[in-house]
Amino acid sequence: MRLAGKKIVLGMTGGIACYKIAELTRMLGKAGADVQVVMTQAATQFITPVTMQALSGNTVFADQWDTRIPNNMPHIDLTRDADAIVIAPCSTDFMSKLAHGACDDLLSTLCIARPSGIPLLIAPAMNVEMWQNAATQRNATLIKADGIQMMGPVSGEQACGETGMGRMLEPDQLFSEIVATFQKKSLTGKQILITAGPTFEPIDPVRGITNLSSGKMGYAIAQAAWEAGAQVTLVSGPTALSAPYGVRRIHVQTAQQMHDAVMTQLQIQNPQVFIAVAAVADWRVANASDQKLKKTSESNTPQLKFIQNPDILALVAALPNAPYCVGFAAESENLLQYGAAKRVKKNIPLLVGNIGHHTFGKEDNELVLFDANGYVQLPRADKQTLAIQLIDELAQRLVSA
Ligand code: CTP
């Protein structure tokens, strides 16, 4: 329930992308938000207020002179207890109104009348030529200068059949942007490199050795870091997860590939923080076969030999000008003792300990944070909650580091 207790005024303007806002409304509601839909007359041409009322569970407003509001001032009453105003889709015309302070209908008046401090987010949606038009670009500059947050647009296929900039973000992407608005921006301006997931070490072209890591914790940390304002690159072993919105993902398979990708990204980005969440295989098969191993007789069992993989975290931590390094320890017992010892052995300022088989593949976890001052426990919670707490703890340590 990432939006529990939040009231969101969801303003809809005319555009074919209105149909996607039905889905966004459901997502916001499921996340605990109270959604108050306000539509322009043009928006009601694309989707009905009946649909939006049913999905939001609240009466929809579309008229400045709506007598259902006791004092007949919907532009005031609808915004006073709002936590955010989101305009999606935001038409070319509505961008023009926002840029110039027009208030000739309920939604534009409500935007002008919003108390300062209530964030206003817009999701432009329009044809590529309309987006590229000099007037729209001028308006976009004015809107940004006024502190209104633009979510997209992106380039892609458009309802009219043309292709280019002006396509609205997808509902799940808008949802991520809205959730991020409410997060503390404790990592603004920071570059963060994260490893996540298992690695897969081939035995032959169709078999390999891997582990039970799902990648969920690393992906949750990447998302929380992006929500906190960081630029995040995620080097990920094989997982079934989609890349968190806003996060750049690099796919790898083996520990050696993960090592190479991390070293390349360190060169390119010079990140301030490296978080090693991946469950990296300690060994790889030295005599992996180029062809599939065949079961030719009862007695022929493969004779595998192993060599050690590079310890990515230890190598990064040992670099001159190393980023602030955060390691993970997946233990099966004696977490307090092993975790503290592993932090010292890897020579890193912060190590996050957990019991591997109590968390791999699960939705929740509990963490112990080890640093030079001892340890702090983060009690069992879902991985996203823990990731947010961990990012908060990290940001505090970066300030004092
Ligand atoms: N790690 C790494 N490269 C490796 C092995 C581990 O970057 N080849 C990182 C992990 O991402 C994690 C930390 O090191 O942040 C500790 O991983 P873990 O497997 O718990 O520790 P090991 O050093 O492998 O020690 P052991 O398996 O003996 O407990």
Side-chain angles (χ1 to χ4, degrees), residues 317-340:
L319 290 172
N321 302 321
Y324 185 96
C325 286
V326 183
F328 265 69
E331 304 294 347
S332 61
E333 58 175 356
N334 297 336
L335 181 57
L336 292 183
Q337 186 196 338
Y338 290 164

Side-chain angles (χ1 to χ4, degrees), residues 343-357:
R343 187 190 75 79
V344 174
K345 190 179 117 196
K346 300 237 178 189
N347 193 23
I348 54 175
L350 181 60
L351 182 124
V352 184
N354 58 174
I355 297 290
H357 59 285

Side-chain angles (χ1 to χ4, degrees), residues 2 28 34 50 59 97 156 210 262 283 324 337 351 397:
R2 307 266 341 249
L28 294 171
D34 178 20
V50 175
T59 311
K97 286 186 183 184
T210 185
V262 164
W283 301 279
Y324 185 96
Q337 186 196 338
L351 182 124
R397 284 166 176 78

Side-chain angles (χ1 to χ4, degrees), residues 192 194 218-227 230-235 242-250:
I192 303 211
I194 300 175
Y219 277 54
I221 291 169
Q223 185 179 333
W226 173 78
E227 287 175 2
Q231 288 201 10
V232 184
T233 302
L234 182 62
V235 179
S242 321
Y245 174 69
V247 169
R248 192 165 75 95
R249 177 169 61 173
I250 298 169

Side-chain angles (χ1 to χ4, degrees), residues 66-100:
D66 195 318
T67 52
R68 287 172 298 173
I69 296 267
N71 63 4
N72 213 316
M73 296 183 198
H75 62 296
I76 305 292
D77 279 30
L78 295 178
T79 55
R80 287 308 176 261
D81 58 349
D83 294 291
I85 301 174
V86 177
I87 311 294
C90 186
S91 65
T92 321
D93 177 53
F94 202 77
M95 281 182 65
S96 165
K97 286 186 183 184
L98 284 177
H100 299 284

Side-chain angles (χ1 to χ4, degrees), residues 139-160:
N139 290 336
T141 306
L142 290 172
I143 284 170
K144 280 189 225 160
D146 283 348
I148 295 171
Q149 189 191 323
M150 299 258 272
M151 305 184 286
V154 290
S155 184
E157 266 181 44
Q158 305 199 314
C160 55

